[in-house]
Amino acid sequence: MQEERQQTPAKRSKWRTFGIVTFITVKWMVYFGIFIGLLAGGAVTGYVAALVKNEEVRPRTVIEEKVGENAITGFVYFNDDSLVGQLRTSEDRMIITYDDLPPQVINAVLGIEDNNFFEHNGVDINGLGRAVKQKLLNEETQTGGSTLTQQLARRVFLSLDKTDSRKIKEIFLSLRMERYLTKEEILAAYLNKVPFGNGSSGYNLFGIKAAAKGIFGITDLNQLNIAQSAYLAGLPQRPSAYTAFTGKGQFNQAGFDLALGRQKTVLMRMMQTGRITQQEYDEALKFDIRKTLSEPSEKAYTTFPYLMLEAERQAAEIMLMEQDATLTKADLRKKENAPLIEEARDHLLRGGYHVYTTIDKDIYQLMREVGTNDENFTPYSEEKGLEQIAAVMLDHKTGAIVGMLEGRDFYEEQLNYATQMTRQPGSTMKTLAAYLPAIEMGIIQPASIIDDAPIVLKDGQKGFHIPMNVNRKFAGLVTARDALNRSLNLPALKIFNDDVKIENAWAFVKKLGITTLQPEDSYAQTGVIGGLSIGVSVEELTNAYGSIPNKGVFNDAYMISRITDANGKIVYEHKQEPKRVFSEQSAFLMTDMLSTVISSKSGSASKLRSQFKKYGEIPIAGKTGSTQSYGDVWFMGFSPDITLGVWAGYEEQVNSLSENGKARARSIWALIMNEMAEKKPEVFATDKFERPSGIVKATVSSASGLLPSQLTKEAGMLVTDWFNKKDIPKKTDDALVKMAYITFNGVNYLPNPATPSDMVKEQIVIKRKKPLDVLMDEIRAAQSKLPAKSRRSMSAYLPADAENNAPSKPDPRVDDGAAPPPPASVKLQSSDGVLILTFSDSSAKDVIGYRVYKSVNQGPYKKQGESITVGSEKRMKLYASSSQNSTYYVTAVDVAGKESAPSPLVQYGNSPINTAPPESGGNSGGNEEAASAPSAPTGLQASKTELSVRLTWASNSVSDQVTQYHVYFSSNNDGKYAKIASTSETNYEYVAPLVTGAFYVTSENANGESAPSDAQTVN
C-alpha cells in the first residue's frame, strides 16, 4: 500500500530550464563584473592615492593668494617722469584684470588653448579621454589635453614636467580652483603668468600686457588687432622658440618665422571655432606683423647701469628705513645688515614698484659724456688701470641730486665712485672743519692774521710730526683769506687744533651731513687736511659744501623723490627737512673767501678763470683739494644755484695721478659747467651771491688782525676786508714794536750786551703768538728724537717773514774768551769797475759778523759799508778805480766784540802791492811786525786747453803757515806781471781762450808774501 501511495515526479519544461540557467549565468557574470570593477577601481584609486599622497589640500585663501601673486616689473624715472628703465629682473611683467582684455585677445587665446573654457568645470573630459588613450596606447602624438585652468594650476602650484603624478595633481587642483575662482579670474591670472619669449629690450616677457608692450610697443590691449592678438596667443606654447628678439633685444629672423607659422595655426583655429569670420581671417593673414614690431632697444642696465643700480640700492635702503624708523644710513652700511638690504632689494625688484628720482636726464647725460670722453683723461695704464672720475651735482636749495658721474666705465669697475667710495678729502676739509666753524664762532674773519709757521704735533709712531705745506715752504703771517686762497696747511691746522678744537670741528662737520667720521678721528690732529680714518664720499662732501651757497641752511642730499607700488599708491615720498647750521653772515664770508680762491692770482683754482668760459658772467666759488703724492684730487665748487663736487684718482689710492691729472678734478668741473652753461642756461638763474645785512667792510692791522694803532698806520701794515659787524675786533693792535735784535741761523734774538752796535739791527718787528726763537727750539728738540731720514735742515722751517719776528730769547752764542781767527778764502772779482768781495766763515763758534776794510794806494785802512752778520751772504759789492791800488781784508767779530786779525789781503789796481800787513785792523789793536815770509812755491806746472790755462804747484811746508797763494800773469811774456787771483788751494784755472804769456805764483802767511816761483810760459 505504501508503494501505492508514492507519487511519480512531474516532468519540467525545457524552456523553463533554459531560462533558469541563463538567469544564473548572467547573475554570476554581473557579480564577477562587479567584483572585477571593484578590484580595478581599487587599483586605480590606490594608484591615484599613491601619486597624490604628499600633495597638500590647499584652502581657498591659499589658492586665491597664489593665483594673484606675481613678480611685477618695476621702473625707474628721471625727474620729469620720463623713463630711465625697468628695474633689474630677468623678466618683464605687467598685471591686467579681465576687464582689460578685449574680445580679440580672448578669442585668440581660447581658440588655440581651450575652446570649451567657459563650459567645463576645470577638466575637459573629451580632451582628457584623448590624452589617456594616447598614453595607454603609447601613440606617437600625445596632446596632453590640459585646460587653461590646468595650465594655471601647473604654473602656480606644480612643476612643468609631464609625469602622471603631476597630471593627476593638476586635475584635482583645477577642480578645486574652479570652485573658488570665477572663469574671468582664472583667464586673467593665466594671461598674467604665461611667458611670451623676449621683448625688444631683451627682457623675458611674462603676461599679455608686457608682451604687447615688449613686442609691439602697445600699452593698451584694446589697440591690438586680430593678427597681433593671434601672434601673441601662439607664443606661450614654445616661447623660447617663437621669439622675434634675442636676449640682447636684437631681431631674430628664425624665431619670428616660427612665430608667424604658429600665428597662422591660431587664426585657422579661431575661424574653425567660429570666433572670427572668413573675411577677418583673410585680412589677418595679409597683415604685416613685421612692420609693427618694436624697434630693438638696449636694457636700462646697459644704457644707464650706474644710475639703475644706484636707484635700486637707495630705494631698497629707503624701504627698510620706512619699515624700521630706528635704522639709519650708517646702520645699513654695516656688514651685519647686508642680508636685510638684499631682502629689501629682492622685494623691490619683484614688487612692481615705481622709483622716481631727482636726476635731470639732460644733466646726467652731459656729465656722462664728459666723463666717458677719453680725451679728457690720462691714457689707460697697465700698472695703474683706468683714471677714474666721480661727480655729484645738486640743487642745494632743496638737496636734490640733479646729476651724477659715477665712474668712467661700468664694465671696468661697477663701484659707484660718487656714492659708495670714501677717500681722503685733502684740503677740501679745511673749509668745513676749520674756517667755516671758526667764522661762525667769531674766532676769525677773512682779514684775521694767522701764522703760517711750523707746529710740532705728537705722533704715536715717530714721537713727533712736523707738517709741511705742499710747496715745503712757510709764508709766515698771512690773512685767513690768503691762507685759504693758497691752501696753506699750517693756518688750517692751527685753527682746527687750537682755536675751534677737534671735538667742536667734527660736531660741526657732522651737522653738514658727513657720516663717515670714525671714533678714532677724534684724535686726528691732521684730519682737517685729510688725515681721516676712512675719508668721505663725493656725495656727502658735495652735500656739505652746498650749505654754503644755501646761506647756511643744510638740506640732506637725496636722489629718490618718491616710490609708488604697482597700483600707483605712494609708499614713500621725500620730505625736506632744512636745518640752519650757521648764519647767513658766516655763509657770505665763507662764499666770498672761496670766490677769491678762483679770482686771486695766488688762488689754488685761479686757472678756472680761463677754463670756465662764463667766468665773470656766472658767479662761482670753490675749493681745491689733494692728498699726498696726488692719489686723490678734488674740486668743490658752486654757483648761487647749484653745487658740483668732483673727485679724480685711481681705484687704488697708492697710484699717483699724472702731471695733468693733478688738476683733473678742476678741469672736469670746468668742462661740466661749460656744458651746463651752454645746454642748460636756465639753471643759472641767480646772477650774484647775495650779501646779507650785518656785513661791513673794515680795516685792521696786517700784523695782528686787530684795530690799527698809530704805529700800524705809520708802518702801512693795513688790510681791508669784509666782516660780520658783530665780530669786528675791539682791541687795538699791540703786535708791532721797535727793538734791537741780532740774527743767528735766520732767527732774531735779543743781543748780548757786549755785542758791538754795528752787528745789531734796530727796527719795527712783530710779536708773534709764538716767537720764532721759541718755535725753533721746539723743532730742534723734536727733530733730535726723529729718525735721521725724517729730519730736515732747520732753515727749511723758517717762514718767509722770519726777519720781521720780534725776539724773546737772548742770542744763544756764548763768548769763548778768545779773539776769533780771521775769515779765509778772501777773493776779489771785478766786472766793469764793480768789485765783488767774497770770503768764507771764521772757524770760531762765537762769531757774530764780519767787517771789510779798504786801503787806497797803501793809505790807512777804513771800514767799508755795513757789517756782514753771520747767516747773511758773505759777499760785498765794492767800487774802485783801476788807476789806483786798492787793498782789502776782512775781520771776524765775536759775540763779546773781540775782532780777529786781518784776513789775507786782496788787491785791485796796477800799482805794486804792499805785502806788509796793516798796522791796525779797524776796531782791533795793531799787528806785530812780520818775522819771516814763506818760501817761494815750487813745482809750478801750466797746461793749456781751448778755453783756459790750468796751473798747479806743490804745497809749501806746514812751517811756512801759508794762508793763501797769489797768481801773477804777464801777457805775451813781456815781463810786466799783474796779480790775477788769490787762492788757498794749490791750483788755479785761468779762464780765457787763446792765452799766451807767462805765469808765476807767490805764497803768503801772516808775516808777508814770498818771492816768485819759477815762471811757466804758455804759447
Side-chain angles (χ1 to χ4, degrees):
M1 292 207 42
Q2 201 173 18
E3 290 177 356
E4 290 179 357
R5 286 196 291 271
Q6 289 180 348
Q7 297 180 1
T8 305
K11 194 174 181 179
R12 294 181 180 178
S13 169
K14 293 181 179 180
W15 289 106
R16 186 168 180 267
T17 301
F18 175 76
I20 292 171
V21 171
T22 301
F23 172 74
I24 293 171
T25 302
V26 171
K27 181 179 71 173
W28 282 105
M29 289 179 66
V30 171
Y31 287 163
F32 181 75
I34 292 172
F35 174 74
I36 294 299
L38 289 172
L39 189 63
V44 171
T45 301
Y47 177 66
V48 171
L51 292 176
V52 299
K53 65 179 180 178
N54 294 323
E55 181 68 13
E56 63 178 302
V57 178
R58 294 172 177 84
R60 178 174 189 159
T61 54
V62 172
I63 290 176
E64 290 177 340
E65 179 185 349
K66 288 294 183 182
V67 167
E69 185 180 85
N70 292 285
I72 310 171
T73 300
F75 297 91
V76 177
Y77 302 89
F78 288 108
N79 64 356
D80 61 355
D81 291 351
S82 63
L83 188 65
V84 178
Q86 72 181 58
L87 285 166
R88 183 176 50 139
T89 56
S90 60
E91 61 187 56
D92 188 359
R93 191 194 306 265
M94 289 175 268
I95 305 305
I96 52 95
T97 64
Y98 182 80
D99 293 338
D100 297 321
L101 295 172
Q104 64 269 27
V105 171
I106 295 173
N107 286 328
V109 172
L110 297 185
I112 191 64
E113 293 291 346
D114 191 351
N115 191 51
N116 299 321
F117 174 71
F118 284 101
E119 284 74 44
H120 63 65
N121 62 351
V123 179
D124 188 340
I125 300 300
N126 293 332
L128 182 61
R130 182 177 65 253
V132 170
K133 177 177 75 73
Q134 292 169 346
K135 181 75 174 178
L136 291 174
L137 299 179
N138 196 27
E139 295 181 6
E140 183 177 351
T141 302
Q142 297 187 9
T143 58
S146 295
T147 63
L148 287 185
T149 311
Q150 288 175 262
Q151 293 182 50
L152 179 62
R154 180 194 323 153
R155 185 162 294 278
V156 174
F157 297 106
L158 307 174
S159 64
L160 299 182
D161 60 45
K162 297 184 179 181
T163 62
D164 291 340
S165 63
R166 193 269 297 161
K167 199 72 176 177
I168 292 171
K169 292 175 185 178
E170 181 184 295
I171 291 171
F172 277 101
L173 276 168
S174 298
L175 295 171
R176 196 166 182 80
M177 286 170 63
E178 291 270 353
R179 287 179 59 193
Y180 299 139
L181 302 174
T182 65
K183 288 288 186 180
E184 289 78 5
E185 289 172 334
I186 292 171
L187 180 57
Y190 169 82
L191 286 174
N192 278 328
K193 292 184 180 293
V194 290
F196 288 83
N198 297 322
S200 61
S201 63
Y203 287 106
N204 292 322
L205 303 172
F206 283 77
I208 188 71
K209 187 169 184 178
K213 181 178 182 296
I215 295 174
F216 297 119
I218 293 174
T219 54
D220 183 359
L221 297 182
N222 289 292
Q223 294 177 6
L224 291 170
N225 60 30
I226 292 173
Q228 292 169 324
S229 299
Y231 182 91
L232 294 178
L235 300 180
Q237 186 192 49
R238 293 178 62 199
S240 60
Y242 302 151
T243 177
F245 300 97
T246 67
K248 294 183 178 180
Q250 298 169 344
F251 179 69
N252 176 19
Q253 185 67 55
F256 177 67
D257 291 341
L258 290 174
L260 278 183
R262 176 67 175 166
Q263 180 218 26
K264 292 177 181 178
T265 301
V266 175
L267 289 171
M268 176 61 72
R269 185 67 179 152
M270 291 175 72
M271 188 181 69
Q272 290 172 347
T273 56
R275 295 181 180 276
I276 57 174
T277 64
Q278 180 69 47
Q279 181 180 351
E280 289 173 324
Y281 172 77
D282 293 338
E283 289 176 354
L285 283 179
K286 293 177 183 178
F287 183 78
D288 191 345
I289 288 286
R290 176 71 178 87
K291 286 187 177 179
T292 64
L293 292 178
S294 292
E295 288 296 321
S297 62
E298 291 184 325
K299 297 178 181 179
Y301 284 86
T302 301
T303 53
F304 303 112
Y306 279 122
L307 182 55
M308 290 299 294
L309 284 179
E310 185 63 22
E312 177 185 308
R313 183 181 69 84
Q314 290 200 27
E317 290 181 348
I318 285 170
M319 295 178 74
L320 270 177
M321 290 187 287
E322 286 292 293
Q323 293 172 11
D324 185 350
T326 64
L327 287 173
T328 64
K329 287 183 179 180
D331 293 329
L332 296 177
R333 292 194 181 102
K334 296 176 181 176
K335 291 181 180 179
E336 59 266 28
N337 287 326
L340 283 177
I341 296 289
E342 286 308 309
E343 183 180 340
R345 189 193 298 263
D346 183 66
H347 176 66
L348 173 77
L349 297 180
R350 295 174 56 81
Y353 291 95
H354 296 255
V355 180
Y356 295 85
T357 75
T358 59
I359 300 294
D360 183 294
K361 185 176 182 178
D362 295 333
I363 294 175
Y364 184 79
Q365 288 184 320
L366 73 82
M367 289 178 71
R368 287 228 56 81
E369 287 171 7
V370 170
T372 54
N373 186 346
D374 292 341
E375 294 181 2
N376 297 332
F377 300 90
T378 303
Y380 180 86
S381 166
E382 290 294 335
E383 177 188 355
K384 301 177 182 179
L386 190 68
E387 183 183 306
Q388 286 292 356
I389 196 76
V392 170
M393 182 183 292
L394 57 86
D395 175 356
H396 48 245
K397 295 176 182 177
T398 63
I401 297 174
V402 296
M404 191 182 298
L405 183 51
E406 308 94 332
R408 292 274 304 283
D409 185 349
F410 179 80
Y411 300 101
E412 178 74 21
E413 173 56 61
Q414 285 75 52
L415 175 71
N416 186 328
Y417 285 95
T419 62
Q420 294 176 288
M421 172 198 70
T422 57
R423 297 293 270 265
Q424 296 301 331
S427 294
T428 58
M429 189 54 72
K430 293 173 183 174
T431 305
L432 306 180
Y435 292 97
L436 189 50
I439 290 173
E440 178 65 9
M441 295 166 71
I443 296 171
I444 67 166
Q445 298 286 286
S448 295
I449 301 302
I450 310 167
D451 197 354
D452 182 40
I455 56 175
V456 179
L457 300 176
K458 290 184 178 180
D459 186 312
Q461 295 177 337
K462 296 179 181 178
F464 294 97
H465 172 52
I466 307 174
M468 302 288 285
N469 287 316
V470 174
N471 63 1
R472 300 297 192 194
K473 297 178 181 179
F474 300 93
L477 296 172
V478 294
T479 64
R481 182 185 293 276
D482 190 34
L484 186 63
N485 286 350
R486 295 156 67 180
S487 198
L488 301 174
N489 288 340
L490 277 303
L493 286 167
K494 290 176 179 179
I495 295 171
F496 177 68
N497 286 281
D498 302 333
D499 299 327
V500 175
K501 307 296 184 185
I502 298 177
E503 180 182 356
N504 297 328
W506 289 153
F508 187 87
V509 167
K510 287 176 181 177
K511 290 179 183 178
L512 297 178
I514 302 295
T515 65
T516 53
L517 294 174
Q518 302 299 303
E520 52 267 37
D521 291 329
S522 299
Y523 310 99
Q525 298 176 93
T526 57
V528 74
I529 58 175
L532 299 176
S533 178
I534 63 173
V536 297
S537 71
V538 180
E539 176 191 358
E540 289 191 348
L541 191 59
T542 307
N543 193 19
Y545 265 82
S547 64
I548 302 172
N550 199 39
K551 304 176 182 179
V553 176
F554 172 72
N555 286 304
D556 200 6
Y558 70 101
M559 196 188 85
I560 308 299
S561 58
R562 71 183 188 279
I563 302 173
T564 65
D565 64 15
N567 298 317
K569 179 183 177 182
I570 295 177
V571 296
Y572 165 79
E573 189 165 21
H574 176 77
K575 293 181 176 60
Q576 289 187 37
E577 296 180 355
K579 297 177 183 177
R580 177 162 294 284
V581 180
F582 48 97
S583 69
E584 288 187 59
Q585 291 74 22
S586 297
F588 172 81
L589 294 175
M590 194 72 257
T591 298
D592 198 63
M593 289 172 71
L594 293 173
S595 297
T596 53
V597 169
I598 299 169
S599 64
S600 171
K601 290 182 179 180
S602 62
S604 60
S606 61
K607 289 188 178 179
L608 276 176
R609 289 180 295 168
S610 59
Q611 291 175 317
F612 180 40
K613 296 177 182 178
K614 293 292 183 177
Y615 183 75
E617 299 177 40
I618 298 175
I620 58 172
K623 181 70 187 77
T624 56
S626 62
T627 56
Q628 192 172 19
S629 301
Y630 290 93
D632 307 275
V633 293
W634 302 78
F635 187 73
M636 293 287 130
F638 52 80
S639 74
D641 301 295
I642 59 166
T643 299
L644 172 61
V646 182
W647 164 90
Y650 286 95
E651 180 183 358
E652 298 292 335
Q653 201 271 342
V654 295
N655 293 321
S656 299
L657 288 158
S658 65
E659 195 60 35
N660 288 334
K662 292 177 182 179
R664 185 73 65 224
R666 189 184 65 233
S667 66
I668 293 298
W669 191 92
L671 289 172
I672 292 173
M673 289 290 281
N674 286 336
E675 290 293 307
M676 285 284 294
E678 180 182 345
K679 298 176 181 177
K680 301 282 287 186
E682 67 275 11
V683 169
F684 304 103
T686 310
D687 60 0
K688 64 180 179 180
F689 293 111
E690 185 178 349
R691 175 162 54 93
S693 61
I695 295 293
V696 296
K697 281 279 181 76
T699 299
V700 295
S701 165
S702 61
S704 64
L706 301 176
L707 295 177
S709 65
Q710 188 59 38
L711 187 58
T712 309
K713 295 175 182 176
E714 290 175 5
M717 299 186 70
L718 303 170
V719 60
T720 302
D721 212 325
W722 292 112
F723 281 79
N724 187 334
K725 187 175 181 179
K726 71 181 183 65
D727 293 321
I728 293 177
K730 307 295 189 294
K731 187 178 177 182
T732 302
D733 177 34
D734 60 357
L736 296 183
V737 58
K738 188 173 185 179
M739 62 187 301
Y741 65 91
I742 191 164
T743 304
F744 176 54
N745 290 337
V747 180
N748 294 342
Y749 291 95
L750 298 170
N752 187 306
T755 299
S757 60
D758 63 319
M759 299 295 169
V760 177
K761 296 179 182 178
E762 186 174 4
Q763 66 180 41
I764 294 176
V765 286
I766 303 170
K767 291 188 292 185
R768 283 176 143 91
K769 185 180 292 187
K770 175 171 285 189
L772 292 184
D773 45 19
V774 175
L775 176 61
M776 290 301 118
D777 283 349
E778 289 182 7
I779 294 174
R780 194 174 293 107
Q783 287 220 111
S784 68
K785 298 177 182 179
L786 291 176
K789 64 180 180 180
S790 299
R791 299 174 190 169
R792 296 185 178 92
S793 166
M794 289 299 296
S795 62
Y797 296 107
L798 286 174
D801 62 351
E803 63 182 1
N804 297 324
N805 176 68
S808 66
K809 302 182 73 172
D811 188 344
R813 290 165 291 191
V814 179
D815 179 22
D816 63 6
S825 301
V826 182
K827 297 179 181 180
L828 193 65
Q829 295 177 322
S830 67
S831 175
D832 298 328
V834 177
L835 306 178
I836 302 297
L837 178 76
T838 60
F839 55 94
S840 59
D841 276 320
S842 169
S843 59
K845 301 297 184 184
D846 63 346
V847 169
I848 58 170
Y850 302 92
R851 296 169 180 152
V852 176
Y853 294 91
K854 175 184 178 181
S855 169
V856 177
N857 293 330
Q858 301 183 28
Y861 283 92
K862 295 181 180 180
K863 185 174 179 294
Q864 299 297 296
E866 294 185 0
S867 299
I868 300 172
T869 56
V870 168
S872 302
E873 191 174 12
K874 290 174 283 296
R875 68 195 302 269
M876 180 178 283
K877 183 184 289 187
L878 301 164
Y879 298 91
S881 171
S882 60
S883 63
Q884 297 178 323
N885 177 265
S886 298
T887 308
Y888 301 88
Y889 70 84
V890 185
T891 63
V893 181
D894 69 14
V895 69
K898 294 189 289 294
E899 189 171 13
S900 74
S903 69
L905 303 178
V906 291
Q907 179 197 22
Y908 176 76
N910 296 325
S911 302
I913 186 171
N914 176 12
T915 58
E919 294 183 358
S920 174
N923 292 336
S924 65
N927 295 300
E928 296 181 2
E929 287 283 338
S932 176
S935 58
T938 61
L940 178 63
Q941 298 290 326
S943 58
K944 187 177 181 182
T945 68
E946 291 182 355
L947 299 176
S948 66
V949 175
R950 183 167 180 78
L951 303 173
T952 61
W953 57 90
S955 175
N956 280 49
S957 65
V958 176
S959 61
D960 279 344
Q961 297 185 352
V962 171
T963 57
Q964 64 181 342
Y965 295 95
H966 304 289
V967 180
Y968 293 83
F969 174 59
S970 173
S971 179
N972 299 317
N973 197 15
D974 58 3
K976 297 179 180 180
Y977 284 91
K979 187 169 75 170
I980 59 173
S982 297
T983 177
S984 59
E985 308 295 334
T986 56
N987 61 78
Y988 176 76
E989 187 172 13
Y990 181 58
V991 180
L994 306 176
V995 175
T996 59
F999 294 85
Y1000 71 76
V1001 181
T1002 65
S1003 60
E1004 183 181 16
N1005 64 13
N1007 299 315
E1009 187 174 6
S1010 74
S1013 68
D1014 292 336
Q1016 283 288 324
T1017 303
V1018 293
N1019 297 313

